[in-house]
Amino acid sequence: MKSITQHYINGRFTESHGTETMALIDPTNKNCIGQVSLGDEEDARAAIHAAQEAFPAFSRSSVAERAELLQRLHEAVLDREEDHIAARIEEYGGVSLHTRFSVRGAAKIFTNMKKTLEGYAFSKPLGKAVLSMKPVGVAGLITPWNAAIFMICNKLAPAIAAGCTAVVKPSEFSAIQTRVLAECIHAAGVPAGVVNLVNGRGDVVGAELVRNPLIAKFSFTGSTAVGKSILRGAADTVKRVTLELGGKSPHIVLDDADFDKAAAFALEAAFRNNGQACIAGSRLLVPEPRLKEMEAALLRALPSWKVGNTREEDTRIGPLVNEKQYARVQEYILKGRAEGAELLAGGPGHPSGLESGWFVKPTIFVKVENRMTIAREEIFGPVLCVIPYKTEEEAVRIANDTTYGLQGWISASDPARGLAVAERIEAGAVMINKSFDMLDEAGVPMGGFKQSGLGREFGVFGLEEYLEPQAVFV
Ligand code: NAD
């Protein structure tokens, strides 16, 4: 049983002032594995105060000092690789292979940002002026539970590179994972007050960060509904805001694609990370005359997606994070049937033999129309909607007929054809034929069009979200 009673404030592990507690549940078996003390407004204000006090010195630190700090954070995260993995499996039900990839990715974010930092001109002449890029101030960082430490590192790295100090409010459902990361931050020797972490609820600790005038910059990853409320709340003090929100990403299968490869790719795009991925390719657009062919290919590919205990190496889909998420996904599956979509695989309830955890059946709906709720709203579970299209023109129209715009996926044999369609997708990134690891390309931005977000993360785009340009005329 783990008991997490402390926040990380001003370089120390500090007992929570807030007294509310929340049980931590292993989603694989619903066993209680510990409890976390949830902070209150006073904990949040103590962290903000520490970040504010640390800002003047840290904002004037040299690029070399911050680069060295990013390197130390990279090493500290890697030093605890096995602990991060164990925490993510226990608390979240992460699939082991994906979890290792995600933890190494979190460590790599720091060295990628170090590279960006070392090549960045903080000051340069611009006509008759000198342009200086200044750290914006104290950053409030709020993260979700589906890639907990990856998301925290993804926000801390650019904040540190820019010379900002930060207060992180992680998801209350990732307290064990966050504790391991806090120990890494401490071990890396981050100066006191530069990074502070406060566990707590969104409407308590999160809300204090949103309204507190000492927070100059906000970066939020989570649902579109909460993102919108943060944007409204941040307006009062004109905070700079970066939002990484939800998605309902289309995957267009062009008619020249190899359908077996496309089906395998479609399940990877839709079911990775237990389907709890903002970039999930959850709408599969298939040429109408070849629908039966695609259905057969999907059924051939599906058995390789074993659902079960993620402590077993060959498991590819684990449980959903908690009861609320399980209930939400069940509701969508029932709604899909009620609205007239047909089940090709899966359906309501638990897979047999897996009733003891928050497991759902990997589900594929066919005869889906893009107007149906299951095609419009983010389900955030392993549920794929197959939507037929008549022409390429119609495929692009359906793909873009969504309020979201985070990612697109394309299966095509002719790369030139794939590229031509990709350029017409309204989304921050498009993957053609394979999942490409964004972290292999340090400078590539990640972020959403439309209601999938505001601003970008990674590389120079991510760094500049924490900088304010100042023009000085001599
Ligand atoms: P969520 O929006 O419920 O919560 C995210 C965070 O916001 C949590 O830390 C939560 O405590 C906090 N929060 C909740 N209410 C708040 C409030 N009123 N004020 C301030 N903070 C508040 O999201 P979730 O369920 O944790 O995560 C799933 C969502 O995250 C999905 O919609 C997914 O698409 C999105 N997501 C987006 C990306 C991306 O990069 N675009 C990445 C991962 C997840």
Side-chain angles (χ1 to χ4, degrees):
M1 288 283 272
K2 300 199 167 60
S3 177
I4 298 172
T5 60
Q6 296 170 325
H7 311 296
Y8 185 66
I9 299 175
N10 206 19
R12 285 189 299 272
F13 288 95
T14 309
E15 288 301 315
S16 183
H17 179 269
T19 52
E20 186 183 347
T21 57
M22 191 183 100
L24 300 168
I25 308 291
D26 181 338
T28 301
N29 48 33
K30 303 184 198 169
N31 289 341
C32 180
I33 50 175
Q35 74 170 26
V36 55
S37 301
L38 301 173
D40 60 11
E41 287 87 350
E42 201 161 319
D43 292 305
R45 285 194 287 269
I48 295 167
H49 179 72
Q52 173 76 1
E53 290 282 298
F55 180 72
F58 193 64
S59 63
R60 288 195 300 274
S61 59
S62 68
V63 165
E65 283 166 333
R66 300 201 297 279
E68 202 192 300
L69 182 52
L70 291 170
Q71 181 66 38
R72 293 203 303 272
L73 281 161
H74 166 82
E75 284 156 18
V77 170
L78 279 187
D79 282 349
R80 299 285 302 274
E81 182 172 340
E82 298 309 322
D83 296 333
H84 292 298
I85 291 172
R88 186 163 163 80
I89 290 175
E90 183 181 31
E91 184 174 47
Y92 173 74
V95 169
S96 21
L97 193 66
H98 180 262
T99 295
R100 191 169 295 280
F101 169 84
S102 177
V103 169
R104 289 188 183 167
K108 197 168 178 195
I109 286 169
F110 290 112
T111 38
N112 277 0
M113 187 47 74
K114 176 176 178 245
K115 230 182 273 169
T116 300
L117 171 63
E118 287 170 336
Y120 188 73
F122 279 84
S123 177
K124 58 183 173 202
L126 196 67
K128 290 183 180 149
V130 174
L131 183 75
S132 293
M133 299 302 284
K134 305 278 188 194
V136 61
V138 177
L141 312 176
I142 296 194
T143 53
W145 41 257
N146 67 324
I149 74 154
F150 186 96
M151 294 296 165
I152 298 175
C153 295
N154 201 19
K155 297 188 185 306
L156 280 182
I160 288 172
C164 291
T165 57
V167 178
V168 182
K169 201 231 53 88
S171 169
E172 48 278 46
F173 297 102
S174 56
I176 300 175
Q177 298 163 81
T178 306
R179 172 68 197 209
V180 180
L181 183 64
E183 288 167 7
C184 296
I185 290 166
H186 192 67
V190 175
V194 169
V195 175
N196 307 275
L197 293 107
V198 181
N199 288 312
R201 291 193 347 205
D203 58 355
V204 179
V205 175
E208 177 62 33
L209 296 184
V210 173
R211 72 178 159 254
N212 195 299
L214 297 179
I215 300 278
K217 156 83 197 172
F218 221 90
S219 180
F220 169 82
T221 297
S223 61
T224 295
V226 174
K228 285 179 185 176
S229 79
I230 284 177
L231 192 56
R232 280 190 289 269
D236 277 344
T237 45
V238 197
K239 292 179 180 22
R240 278 72 187 131
V241 178
T242 304
L243 300 175
E244 295 288 351
L245 309 175
K248 192 73 198 178
S249 300
H251 180 165
I252 301 180
V253 179
L254 295 179
D255 61 8
D256 71 338
D258 174 321
F259 272 33
D260 273 311
K261 283 189 190 155
F265 184 38
L267 297 188
E268 171 75 27
F271 294 168
R272 199 173 181 180
N273 199 16
N274 308 341
Q276 296 171 140
C278 52
I279 58 171
S282 51
R283 291 184 295 143
L284 187 67
L285 276 53
V286 177
E288 196 166 44
R290 308 208 30 212
L291 214 49
K292 286 285 158 216
E293 245 179 274
M294 177 50 79
E295 289 177 12
L298 287 167
L299 289 175
R300 278 193 296 278
L302 190 61
S304 74
W305 285 84
K306 182 189 152 192
V307 190
N309 187 333
T310 52
R311 291 162 179 98
E312 292 159 16
E313 285 287 324
D314 60 340
T315 294
R316 292 183 79 188
I317 302 183
L320 299 185
V321 68
N322 55 30
E323 182 173 11
K324 185 172 163 211
Q325 194 60 20
Y326 174 83
R328 174 189 153 96
V329 172
Q330 294 300 318
E331 235 174 77
Y332 276 115
I333 293 175
L334 294 175
K335 193 169 259 175
R337 278 212 312 212
E339 288 186 349
E342 285 178 17
L343 284 167
L344 178 70
H350 295 281
S352 90
L354 291 170
E355 292 77 10
S356 59
W358 302 122
F359 295 96
V360 301
K361 297 175 189 165
T363 294
I364 303 175
F365 275 112
V366 290
K367 302 220 168 91
V368 179
E369 293 172 27
N370 204 47
R371 62 171 178 79
M372 293 177 182
T373 309
I374 53 168
R376 304 212 72 79
E377 296 182 10
E378 187 180 45
I379 297 175
F380 229 55
V383 180
L384 177 64
C385 297
V386 179
I387 304 173
Y389 70 83
K390 291 192 175 63
T391 61
E392 213 166 279
E393 199 57 34
E394 190 189 31
V396 171
R397 188 186 57 69
I398 296 171
N400 291 334
D401 178 15
T402 167
T403 53
Y404 293 111
L406 191 57
Q407 182 135 325
W409 304 80
I410 292 178
S411 287
S413 287
D414 174 1
R417 240 183 108 186
L419 189 61
V421 174
E423 283 172 352
R424 300 180 64 197
I425 305 291
E426 296 161 359
V430 184
M431 308 286 167
I432 303 176
N433 291 338
K434 70 188 193 84
S435 314
F436 141 90
D437 179 7
M438 291 204 147
L439 295 171
D440 285 342
E441 297 292 340
V444 169
M446 150 108 196
F449 284 25
K450 302 194 271 187
Q451 294 187 29
S452 283
L454 263 188
R456 291 293 181 271
E457 294 191 311
F458 297 129
V460 169
F461 295 93
L463 175 61
E464 289 190 340
E465 296 278 323
Y466 294 82
L467 294 169
E468 202 69 280
Q470 181 188 52
V472 176
F473 291 82
V474 183

